[in-house]
Amino acid sequence: MTTQEILTAARDAKRTVGVSGTTQRNRALLGMADALDDAANRAAILSANAADLDAARGHISEVMLDRLALNGKRLDGMSQGIREVAALPDPVGAVLRRIERPNGLVIEKTAVPMGVIAIIYESRPNVTSDAAALALKSGNACVLRCGKEAWRTSKAIVDALRQGVTAAGLPAAAVNLIEDTTRASSYALMEAVGYVDLLIPRGGAGLIRACVENAKVPCIQTGTGICHIYVDDTADQDKALDIIENAKASRPSVCNAEEVCLVHKDIAAQFLPKLAQRLGPDRAARGLHPVELRLDPRAAAVIPGTPAGPQDFDTEFLDYILAVGVVDSVEDAVAHIAAHSTGHSDAILSQTPSHIDLFTAAVDSAAVYVNCSTRFTDGGEFGLGCEMGISTQKLHARGPMGLAELCTYKYIIRGDGQIRA
């Protein structure tokens, strides 16, 4: 099908999905999860993924290949994520505010579906099932546009999901996958006025910039993740090492991974050698990929490493690379983050309440952490089931976008013959 035909089908399906009841939509979601667990579907999905991986090798990094790869455990996680979404309260129809006027009018601000939600994303196959589940639970039809590296996998996933959708009596076009993986289809979604009610780009800086600059439909900006961890002079250093290794190296290809570490000057001579040992030789000795440190001049005076280049504190590496700098105070850390952060996730490791209070108040990011890893910025970890993306803007949605963020609202006013004087 052409992109226009898919958009038309989604627009036609949104009315049916929007007025469907909680029971029917939950039945569809559970059917979608069962379809992902079906042996034949799993074999088809894993076969398609193997073909995508074979085609991508040599063209994308090993870290990005890991983002693309599926296995039985990851498939289990996808189906479980759908079941968790099904178990969440239905956001549709929730009364957000109720006002009773002196003239007897009852005004209810009521959550309703957006309509058609389009998502442009890159090479993470689990986004296909997460996005479809969240869209359907919130009463929306969805149009998915994945990157070319993941198209075979996403197609096999959508084929399975549609089995659950139609078995519940909803139209197959509630879940759609764009067949054209050229830039033309992305721009078609950006310009699909009258067809797309909300566009969510989920990917690198280039994709986000293209959507922000060119979209004619409403667009939520999901920013890149230049995530910082500031190690204060009173930080518990053993815990800090655990947190930093987790934030940087547990899965460096994701947007909530740490990209910058700032260390207070009073502990730099003590802490930085521990950090270099932990992320370098200690990881190599355990058979793990070491982390390359890109050091500002003050950090380079303490430990060996790669001198930081002009852009290293403004780069989402998505790799085993960490920019490291030394700062004089929590105020300087806040100022550095203000200059370099993308407003995604930033953390302070400290035992000083006044420093923590200043950091959490002054750092203007969607998620601000105290003494824990930035890797928790995730819909599942926040109790949202899964997420459509991480919004770094401030209007309508901010942080992990779950069911509530996929609804808009309208006012329903009930009266009994009132007229305005």
Side-chain angles (χ1 to χ4, degrees), residues 177-231:
L177 180 69
I178 296 292
E179 298 179 14
D180 176 12
T181 59
T182 69
R183 289 184 179 180
S185 64
S186 292
Y187 284 99
L189 294 181
M190 296 177 206
E191 298 174 356
V193 176
Y195 295 90
V196 170
D197 295 289
L198 177 66
L199 173 65
I200 302 173
R202 182 169 171 169
L207 170 62
I208 306 302
R209 185 170 55 252
C211 287
V212 170
E213 292 175 355
N214 296 286
K216 296 179 180 178
V217 300
C219 178
I220 288 183
Q221 183 173 346
T222 60
T224 52
I226 301 179
C227 302
H228 298 71
I229 292 181
Y230 164 59
V231 186

Side-chain angles (χ1 to χ4, degrees), residues 7 10-15 112-119 139-143 189-200 216-220 396 405-408:
L7 287 169
R11 185 184 63 181
D12 292 344
K14 78 175 183 180
R15 297 178 181 87
V112 296
M114 287 282 183
V116 174
I117 297 177
I119 308 97
N140 297 288
C142 66
V143 177
L189 294 181
M190 296 177 206
E191 298 174 356
V193 176
Y195 295 90
V196 170
D197 295 289
L198 177 66
L199 173 65
I200 302 173
K216 296 179 180 178
V217 300
C219 178
I220 288 183
H396 170 63
E405 289 73 29
L406 301 184
C407 290
T408 183

Side-chain angles (χ1 to χ4, degrees), residues 3 27 38 66 90 118 125 141 150 161 173 180 191 247 260 290 295 318 330 337 367 397 418:
T3 299
R27 190 164 66 247
D38 175 79
D66 179 66
D90 188 352
L161 297 179
D180 176 12
E191 298 174 356
V260 177
L295 308 174
L318 301 175
V330 64
I337 291 169
Q418 292 90 335

Side-chain angles (χ1 to χ4, degrees), residues 91-108:
V92 179
V95 177
L96 307 176
R97 186 182 181 194
R98 187 176 190 273
I99 306 166
E100 294 187 23
R101 300 295 295 150
N103 62 3
L105 287 180
V106 176
I107 304 169
E108 293 181 335

Side-chain angles (χ1 to χ4, degrees), residues 298-358:
R298 298 176 74 180
V302 179
I303 56 173
T306 305
Q311 299 302 314
D312 281 336
F313 287 90
D314 295 291
T315 298
E316 186 182 31
F317 297 112
L318 301 175
D319 206 342
Y320 291 96
I321 301 170
L322 181 66
V324 180
V326 175
V327 294
D328 290 334
S329 64
V330 64
E331 290 85 359
D332 285 351
V334 168
H336 179 103
I337 291 169
H340 300 277
S341 174
T342 54
H344 192 293
S345 302
D346 298 295
I348 180 173
L349 311 183
S350 176
Q351 301 300 316
T352 304
S354 61
H355 291 183
I356 292 170
D357 290 345
L358 173 62

